[in-house]
């Protein structure tokens, strides 16, 4: 199990998406950064509508 919280995973996914510049690069970076389980957790957190900023 990942030691990163769902919020941390979501925050990292958003930062990669914003910094990548295009969808193709973002997809490659996300695949490299996260396991499939971590990606599901990040997506689920983002879909929940919870805030990714702050503590």
């Amino acid at each position: 199990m990942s030691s990163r919280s769902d919020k941390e995973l979501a925050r990292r996914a958003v930062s990669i998406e914003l910094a990548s510049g295009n969808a193709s690069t973002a997809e490659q970076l996300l695949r490299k950064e996260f396991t499939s389980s971590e990606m599901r957790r990040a997506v689920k957190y983002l879909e929940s509508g919870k805030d990714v900023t702050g503590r």
Side-chain angles (χ1 to χ4, degrees):
M1 176 149 218
S2 175
S3 61
R4 296 188 281 187
S5 71
D6 294 353
K7 185 175 187 174
E8 289 170 327
L9 293 170
R11 184 180 291 160
R12 181 73 178 137
V14 169
S15 68
I16 289 171
E17 190 72 35
L18 292 173
S20 66
N22 65 54
S24 176
T25 302
E27 184 176 349
Q28 290 174 5
L29 292 171
L30 289 168
R31 287 182 191 273
K32 192 173 188 177
E33 177 75 18
F34 298 116
T35 65
S36 58
S37 173
E38 288 174 329
M39 196 63 219
R40 279 192 300 272
R41 288 173 49 209
V43 169
K44 189 173 181 178
Y45 187 91
L46 292 168
E47 287 175 342
S48 75
K50 295 178 184 174
D51 195 11
V52 293
T53 60
R55 289 187 170 231

